[in-house]
């Protein structure tokens, strides 16, 4: 039981490049989330998915797209990376009605 | 005004000390409350939920004051291993989203 996994762990991009951050959970959770964490800003919700086939915007969705591929996987795509997207990205999941969000280990992204 | 506000610290305390963190939230419709712990360069992990009557888990005590929209976390007999950032988290009834505070950093020294 790996919990929530994320790939890659680290990534460096040039401005304008695109990439997809992958997230998978093996806990049969319904809800999945993408956050970014910046110094002094705390965790901010980018997008979330309450169930397979649905996605909703969070607090800071601009510049990102998501896909809930199936119940296990929820990916985050940067179409044209900008230096302002330099951050640590966390994926999380939660069972329906549950209190706890379980986080992946994070992806550290730098955009030059 | 941020929805969840915390003193960023850092709180530097000696081993064995008692330390308390406070958190205020702005949305009176908030229904669920939590403390998460985040170690340096790691993911956040649930420390404990906060119940209306207050609750204790070993050396950790959490309290909620709905009238003042205030949550607290008390750590007794601090250990070196308690050094981390403590995140105050709230959610509103019937929503799938959590709102995180920016965290309070604790450093316990020998």
């Amino acid at each position: 039981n790996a919990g929530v996994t994320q790939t890659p762990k680290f990534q460096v991009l040039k401005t304008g490049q695109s990439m997809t951050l992958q997230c998978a959970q093996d806990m049969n959770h319904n809800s999945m989330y993408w956050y970014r964490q910046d110094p002094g800003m705390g965790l901010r919700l980018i997008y979330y998915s309450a169930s397979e086939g649905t996605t909703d915007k969070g607090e800071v969705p601009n510049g990102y797209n998501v896909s809930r591929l199936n119940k296990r996987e929820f990916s985050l795509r940067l179409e044209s990376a900008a230096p302002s997207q330099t951050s640590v990205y966390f994926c999380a999941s939660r069972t329906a009605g549950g209190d706890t969000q379980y986080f992946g280990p994070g992806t550290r992204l730098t955009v030059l | 005004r941020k929805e969840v506000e915390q003193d960023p610290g850092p709180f530097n305390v000696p081993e064995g000390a008692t330390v308390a963190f406070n958190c205020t939230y702005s949305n009176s419709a908030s229904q669920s409350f939590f403390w998460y712990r985040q170690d340096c360069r790691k993911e956040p992990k649930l420390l404990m939920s906060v119940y209306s009557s207050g609750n204790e888990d070993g050396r950790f005590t959490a309290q909620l004051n709905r009238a003042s929209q205030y949550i607290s976390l008390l750590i007794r007999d601090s250990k070196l291993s308690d050094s981390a950032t403590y995140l105050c988290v709230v959610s509103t009834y019937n929503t799938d989203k959590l709102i995180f505070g920016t965290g309070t950093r604790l450093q316990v020294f020998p």
Side-chain angles (χ1 to χ4, degrees):
Chain A
N1 189 336
V4 181
T5 57
Q6 291 183 235
T7 55
K9 286 187 167 49
F10 301 93
Q11 184 70 50
V12 179
L13 294 176
K14 294 181 179 177
T15 296
Q17 286 186 315
S18 62
M19 78 162 295
T20 300
L21 281 63
Q22 307 286 354
C23 174
Q25 52 90 10
D26 61 3
M27 296 175 283
N28 202 35
H29 286 171
N30 294 320
S31 302
M32 297 186 73
Y33 308 81
W34 275 106
Y35 294 91
R36 60 178 290 174
Q37 187 174 36
D38 303 291
M41 300 293 290
L43 281 154
R44 292 183 293 170
L45 183 64
I46 304 171
Y47 271 94
Y48 68 104
S49 171
S51 62
E52 186 179 348
T54 67
T55 60
D56 285 287
K57 294 179 180 179
E59 182 185 354
V60 288
N62 291 344
Y64 306 95
N65 285 302
V66 290
S67 296
R68 183 74 183 267
L69 304 170
N70 47 54
K71 193 171 187 179
R72 288 188 64 248
E73 298 172 289
F74 189 37
S75 62
L76 179 71
R77 183 159 178 84
L78 286 71
E79 290 291 350
S80 179
S84 60
Q85 294 178 304
T86 294
S87 188
V88 181
Y89 291 85
F90 288 103
C91 177
S93 71
R94 188 181 81 161
T95 190
D99 278 348
T100 308
Q101 284 194 10
Y102 296 87
F103 284 80
T107 295
R108 283 164 177 76
L109 175 67
T110 301
V111 183
L112 303 175
Chain B
R1 183 185 171 190
K2 290 180 182 175
E3 285 196 62
V4 179
E5 297 208 56
Q6 298 181 249
D7 181 341
F11 285 63
N12 296 305
V13 303
E15 273 187 292
T18 295
V19 61
F21 305 138
N22 302 320
C23 167
T24 57
Y25 60 95
S26 61
N27 188 345
S28 59
S30 298
Q31 290 288 332
S32 298
F33 309 90
F34 314 92
W35 285 100
Y36 275 68
R37 172 193 168 125
Q38 185 172 24
D39 293 299
C40 187
R41 300 181 71 78
K42 298 287 189 180
E43 72 272 24
K45 293 183 180 179
L46 180 68
L47 178 66
M48 59 196 302
S49 300
V50 185
Y51 303 119
S52 295
S53 56
N55 48 299
E56 190 173 302
D57 183 2
R59 297 181 293 108
F60 299 83
T61 301
Q63 292 195 311
L64 168 65
N65 183 323
R66 286 187 184 273
S68 301
Q69 295 181 202
Y70 170 98
I71 306 159
S72 65
L73 177 68
L74 183 77
I75 305 176
R76 291 182 299 278
D77 189 22
S78 297
K79 312 291 185 191
L80 294 175
S81 57
D82 293 334
S83 297
T85 296
Y86 291 83
L87 306 172
C88 177
V89 185
V90 307
S91 73
T92 307
Y93 178 72
N94 206 28
T95 181
D96 221 20
K97 296 186 284 188
L98 299 180
I99 309 298
F100 287 78
T102 53
T104 298
R105 192 155 68 88
L106 171 66
Q107 183 67 49
V108 182
F109 57 88

